[in-house]
């Protein structure tokens, strides 16, 4: 995801319209009371267990403070690989730099009581898709947690920062113990699930069922870390033209809209009581048929005709009833 420019960080808090509502939690400690921070160590404000719980990589990477430009030390925790809506988390901790100097006169915005502290959101030069939550520990020390919206919905910009705040607070003087943490939706990779977990893709078309299509025997295939799936391929027998090889993939941790290769507007088709979605185009030799099983699991049939686009869906139309009949109950 996007990495904040260090020069811009010092300018990233602008005036909000003075909203001062506090949401939940408890009041912050009185600045200047309690243990004193003698060293800024932002990468010690999340444990490995806490980072894993909210869906960011561990350990984080620290950027040193730049006192001349009023930039605190920052620890950056990137999103996890394969997280569908993951975003980066940054935790900053100042030493001998006041929150007043850092925000440079910006008015406080929305407030959240979390972990024994009051966290205040300040506007950002990056716009409403960026969230900056800050709390003051004493007149020369503050902590900032930042995250961003995972997509176009700017109302989710603070979701990860608020999810991390109890963990960060638990490492601060006077902070409350961290409760069980929950990552925002999409921040962690989807866990494989559903009735397809134990299904062998090659079992969804039996050898005698494939014989009429003049295809070679089945061979297993594997996906990649960016496209997790298990599959089976029946190679074609007619060279570089004619029918394309038949590929059948099983997804157990991917939403239908995130499956690669689904181009064009799908046509719904009921087959033996199950709803398939067929993707094809008059100017394409490829035809793809999808059978959703759960929200995050499905079967994909991918083939076509390299000589005649009009025949691209002939084999998918023929095998869809066979695959449906060989599926486990769902």
């Amino acid at each position: 995801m996007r990495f904040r420019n260090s020069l811009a960080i010092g300018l990233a808090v602008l005036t909000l319209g003075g909203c001062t509502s506090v949401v939940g939690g408890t009041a912050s400690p009185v600045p200047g009371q309690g243990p004193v921070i003698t060293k800024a160590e932002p990468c010690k404000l999340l444990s490995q267990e806490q980072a894993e719980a909210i869906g960011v990589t561990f350990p984080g990477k620290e950027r040193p403070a730049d006192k001349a430009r009023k930039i605190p030390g920052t620890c950056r925790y990137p999103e996890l690989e394969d997280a569908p809506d993951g975003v980066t988390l940054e935790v900053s901790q100042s030493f001998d730099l006041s929150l007043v100097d850092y925000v440079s006169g910006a008015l406080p915005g929305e407030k959240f009581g979390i972990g024994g502290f009051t966290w205040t959101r300040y506007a950002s030069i990056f716009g409403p898709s960026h969230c900056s939550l800050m709390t003051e520990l004493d007149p020369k020390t503050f902590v900032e947690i930042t995250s961003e919206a995972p997509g176009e919905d700017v109302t989710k910009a603070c979701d990860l920062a608020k999810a991390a705040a109890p963990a960060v607070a638990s490492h601060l003087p006077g902070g409350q113990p961290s409760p069980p943490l929950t990552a925002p939706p999409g921040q962690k990779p989807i866990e494989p699930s559903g009735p397809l977990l134990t299904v062998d893709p090659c079992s969804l078309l039996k050898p005698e069922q494939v014989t009429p299509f003049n295809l070679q025997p089945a061979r297993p295939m594997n996906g990649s870390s960016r496209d997790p799936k298990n599959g089976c391929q029946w190679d074609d027998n007619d060279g570089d033209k004619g029918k394309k090889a038949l590929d059948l993939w099983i997804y157990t941790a991917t939403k239908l809209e995130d499956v690669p290769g689904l181009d064009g507007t799908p046509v719904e088709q009921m087959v033996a009581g199950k709803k398939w979605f067929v993707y094809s185009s008059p100017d394409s030799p490829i035809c793809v048929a999808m059978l959703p099983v759960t929200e995050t699991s499905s079967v994909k049939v991918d083939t076509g005709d390299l000589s005649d686009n009009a025949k691209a869906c002939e084999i998918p139309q023929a095998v869809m009833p066979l695959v449906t009949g060989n599926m486990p109950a769902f």
Side-chain angles (χ1 to χ4, degrees), residues 35 132 144 146 148 308 319 325:
S132 170
E144 178 186 25
T146 67
E148 57 191 352
D308 188 345
V319 304

Side-chain angles (χ1 to χ4, degrees), residues 1-3 56 75-79 86-90 146-148 160 187:
M1 305 299 290
R2 292 181 298 275
F3 190 92
V56 294
C75 192
R76 182 176 187 263
Y77 300 87
E79 71 275 19
V87 298
T88 292
L89 179 78
E90 292 192 358
T146 67
S147 63
E148 57 191 352
L160 182 57
Q187 182 65 29

Side-chain angles (χ1 to χ4, degrees), residues 133-216:
L133 302 183
M134 301 187 205
T135 192
E136 185 179 40
L137 303 182
D138 62 49
K140 288 292 185 180
T141 313
F142 68 89
V143 172
E144 178 186 25
I145 308 173
T146 67
S147 63
E148 57 191 352
E152 299 300 321
D153 188 354
V154 298
T155 65
K156 297 181 179 180
C158 285
D159 285 2
L160 182 57
K162 289 192 290 185
V168 172
S170 71
H171 296 278
L172 298 175
Q176 297 173 346
S178 176
L181 303 174
T182 302
Q187 182 65 29
K188 300 176 74 173
I190 298 171
E191 292 292 331
S193 63
L196 298 176
L197 271 176
T198 58
V199 174
D200 176 2
C202 294
S203 71
L204 294 181
L205 280 175
K206 303 182 185 305
E208 64 273 16
Q209 293 176 323
V210 180
T211 299
F213 307 120
N214 189 30
L215 296 170
Q216 296 182 27

Side-chain angles (χ1 to χ4, degrees), residues 95-310:
F95 174 66
D96 200 25
L97 172 63
S98 71
L99 186 149
V100 172
D101 287 341
Y102 181 61
V103 301
S104 190
L107 296 177
E110 189 175 7
K111 297 178 182 291
F112 305 90
I114 303 174
F117 300 89
T118 297
W119 300 85
T120 303
R121 182 179 184 181
Y122 289 86
S124 166
I125 61 171
F126 302 106
S129 64
H130 183 86
C131 177
S132 170
L133 302 183
M134 301 187 205
T135 192
E136 185 179 40
L137 303 182
D138 62 49
K140 288 292 185 180
T141 313
F142 68 89
V143 172
E144 178 186 25
I145 308 173
T146 67
S147 63
E148 57 191 352
E152 299 300 321
D153 188 354
V154 298
T155 65
K156 297 181 179 180
C158 285
D159 285 2
L160 182 57
K162 289 192 290 185
V168 172
S170 71
H171 296 278
L172 298 175
Q176 297 173 346
S178 176
L181 303 174
T182 302
Q187 182 65 29
K188 300 176 74 173
I190 298 171
E191 292 292 331
S193 63
L196 298 176
L197 271 176
T198 58
V199 174
D200 176 2
C202 294
S203 71
L204 294 181
L205 280 175
K206 303 182 185 305
E208 64 273 16
Q209 293 176 323
V210 180
T211 299
F213 307 120
N214 189 30
L215 296 170
Q216 296 182 27
R219 60 182 181 88
M221 299 190 299
N222 293 317
S224 65
S225 61
R226 282 293 183 183
D227 187 16
K229 58 188 178 182
N230 292 312
C232 193
Q233 184 174 78
W234 293 263
D235 285 320
D236 59 281
N237 287 309
D238 49 7
D240 294 335
K241 295 294 183 180
K243 298 299 182 186
K244 177 183 175 294
L246 172 63
D247 297 341
L248 188 151
W249 296 102
I250 286 180
Y251 291 87
T252 58
T254 305
K255 294 181 180 180
L256 182 63
E257 59 265 29
D258 295 328
V259 172
L262 303 184
D263 299 322
T265 302
V267 176
E268 295 183 13
Q269 186 171 338
M270 296 300 297
V271 179
K274 303 300 182 182
K275 183 183 292 185
W276 285 77
F277 295 88
V278 179
Y279 298 78
S280 64
S281 171
D283 58 358
S284 173
I286 306 302
C287 182
V288 177
M290 295 293 306
L291 174 60
V293 176
T294 67
E295 184 179 355
T296 57
S297 65
S298 58
V299 174
K300 179 183 182 183
V301 174
D302 183 344
T303 184
D305 193 304
L306 303 177
S307 299
D308 188 345
N309 293 358

